[in-house]
Amino acid sequence: MFEPQTPTPAVFFAGAITAYFILCAVHIFEHKKRTRLQTVLEWCFAFWAVLNFKDIAIAFPEIYTPQVHNYFILIDGWSTVTYVIFIYELTQPRWTTRWKVLLLSLPFLVFTVIYSIWTNYTVLNIYVIFLWFCAVSFFTVGFFLSHRYIKYIHENYSNIDDFDITWMKYVFIFAILEQTTYFIVSLYDNLLVEILYYISAFAMWHLAFRYSMSLRPIAIVETKVKEPTDAPSSYAFAGNIEEIVESNALYLNKDLTLSDLVKAVGTNRTYLSDYFSNHKHTTFYDYINELRIVKKAVPLIQQHPEYTMEFIAAESGFNSLSTFRRAFVKLKGMSPGQFRSELATP
């Protein structure tokens, strides 16, 4: 039998985060109507559960030798694949396939095989450099894809609560912290840095789990890009679209989309999106929310101090109170509650 050494705090963190990933994977598996993104996340959690379970071996000195430590570094590098498939599936629904996952895993498999044949630190050092370039590429591409996705939903939807991914900025922050601490502990044995690694990994994937469980993926529909212009006369519907939206109170439709306006105006989506961006210098999302606040929310706050903010938000076309507050602060520079308080002040 192996004689275990006294478990370090890192071992407890490894055990706790392993249990967390297992519970998350099981929870998603038992979710009957899980999306493709949630299924991808389920497999990511299953992988991370195995990844962290192996770290419990550090409590057994007979197992956790320097050679095993090097193999642990090789195995940990495979986690990069989970980052890539998650961000791609999040921003490009139905992107993930078995062949793509195998293709992404191939470089890591090659390095593992090479190190198994030629066990030396040169291979390991090259591998660590490779992981560094992978991390930089992941954050660069991930940031671009997330920005493109957020821009797309703001240009095409007035209600983005179900598919907003602005929370990804926090995922990137913890991912950077996780990668940084990983590189440090792969080179130096530091207990505090190792604990920070577990904490950042937990925070990153917990955010992904929390928001992905209620996320409704939206596929980006590519359209032909036309040359932008600032000339109002080039838009045949200039002025008419505002009249149509305001006279028919279309902004009160909680699920109003750019496509709905395209049908009402009789133009195409690219042309209309270009109009908002280059002539009105706003997005469809901000334009509609501004009308909701100016035309409906503000009058209701002024005329009915007895109404709750939840009621005013719903009556104004907002799908949630949090979205209403954010839009109000962005437009007025203060919360709806502060705005009401100022009205009540003599």
Side-chain angles (χ1 to χ4, degrees):
M1 291 180 63
F2 293 114
E3 291 295 332
Q5 66 181 35
T6 303
T8 66
V11 175
F12 289 111
F13 275 93
I17 198 171
T18 298
Y20 171 78
F21 283 126
I22 292 174
L23 290 174
C24 287
V26 171
H27 177 79
I28 298 175
F29 178 77
E30 293 178 344
H31 193 50
K32 295 181 180 179
K33 295 183 178 180
R34 60 182 180 274
T35 63
R36 189 182 180 89
L37 174 65
Q38 291 164 358
T39 300
V40 167
L41 196 59
E42 173 194 345
W43 284 102
C44 289
F45 281 141
F47 177 83
W48 274 79
V50 174
L51 197 69
N52 285 277
F53 180 75
K54 70 173 180 26
D55 292 344
I56 299 177
I58 64 177
F60 299 87
E62 294 84 353
I63 297 178
Y64 196 67
T65 64
Q67 186 65 17
V68 170
H69 172 77
N70 294 339
Y71 274 108
F72 277 14
I73 293 176
L74 288 165
I75 296 172
D76 286 338
W78 287 64
S79 63
T80 304
V81 177
T82 63
Y83 299 141
V84 176
I85 63 174
F86 173 71
I87 188 62
Y88 268 80
E89 186 62 35
L90 176 68
T91 57
Q92 302 180 84
R94 306 194 69 80
W95 178 88
T96 307
T97 63
R98 292 179 181 177
W99 288 110
K100 288 178 180 177
V101 173
L102 288 175
L103 186 61
L104 286 170
S105 304
L106 186 59
F108 303 94
L109 176 61
V110 171
F111 270 107
T112 304
V113 172
I114 291 176
Y115 183 78
S116 299
I117 298 174
W118 294 287
T119 307
N120 61 73
Y121 283 101
T122 300
V123 175
L124 201 62
N125 290 335
I126 294 175
Y127 181 69
V128 171
I129 295 173
F130 166 73
L131 290 180
W132 184 83
F133 278 107
C134 283
V136 172
S137 300
F138 161 71
F139 294 129
T140 302
V141 175
F143 178 80
F144 168 76
L145 291 176
S146 298
H147 177 74
R148 185 185 70 157
Y149 185 91
I150 293 170
K151 182 174 182 290
Y152 178 81
I153 62 176
H154 276 79
E155 290 177 343
N156 290 272
Y157 297 90
S158 65
N159 170 25
I160 63 173
D161 289 350
D162 294 336
F163 35 85
D164 182 23
I165 63 168
T166 52
W167 47 269
M168 276 299 294
K169 60 186 177 184
Y170 301 110
V171 171
F172 282 125
I173 291 173
F174 285 114
I176 292 173
L177 180 60
E178 185 269 338
Q179 284 292 297
T180 302
T181 52
Y182 165 75
F183 288 132
I184 294 175
V185 297
S186 65
L187 299 174
Y188 307 100
D189 185 15
N190 187 294
L191 178 60
L192 292 179
V193 176
E194 189 172 359
I195 292 175
L196 185 58
Y197 162 79
Y198 288 119
I199 293 175
S200 56
F202 164 77
M204 174 185 65
W205 286 110
H206 177 69
L207 286 171
F209 172 76
R210 174 187 174 187
Y211 289 103
S212 295
M213 291 308 294
S214 60
L215 189 72
R216 181 161 60 93
I218 295 293
I220 294 179
V221 179
E222 299 290 350
T223 56
K224 183 179 179 181
V225 179
K226 64 181 290 294
E227 290 297 323
T229 176
D230 287 325
S233 60
S234 66
Y235 302 100
F237 52 79
N240 293 331
I241 185 172
E242 288 83 357
E243 183 179 353
I244 292 174
V245 172
E246 294 179 30
S247 62
N248 294 285
L250 297 182
Y251 52 86
L252 295 181
N253 178 2
K254 290 182 172 63
D255 297 315
L256 184 69
T257 66
L258 187 71
S259 297
D260 295 330
L261 287 193
V262 167
K263 295 177 183 178
V265 177
T267 184
N268 64 72
R269 189 174 62 184
T270 303
Y271 202 38
L272 188 55
S273 180
D274 180 78
Y275 173 72
F276 281 117
S277 177
N278 296 291
H279 175 51
K280 297 188 74 67
H281 303 291
T282 187
T283 63
F284 169 72
Y285 175 77
D286 288 333
Y287 168 69
I288 295 300
N289 281 343
E290 181 177 345
L291 289 177
R292 288 168 173 170
I293 293 171
V294 174
K295 298 291 184 179
K296 191 70 175 181
V298 169
L300 284 177
I301 293 174
Q302 292 173 331
Q303 300 168 17
H304 298 279
E306 75 277 10
Y307 287 172
T308 64
M309 289 303 173
E310 289 83 355
F311 178 80
I312 292 175
E315 287 295 300
S316 302
F318 288 95
N319 201 47
S320 69
L321 179 60
S322 59
T323 302
F324 169 56
R325 284 174 174 165
R326 286 195 299 269
F328 201 98
V329 170
K330 183 176 182 179
L331 182 64
K332 296 292 186 180
M334 65 181 74
S335 69
Q338 292 173 325
F339 181 76
R340 171 176 281 175
S341 296
E342 288 198 358
L343 291 176
T345 302

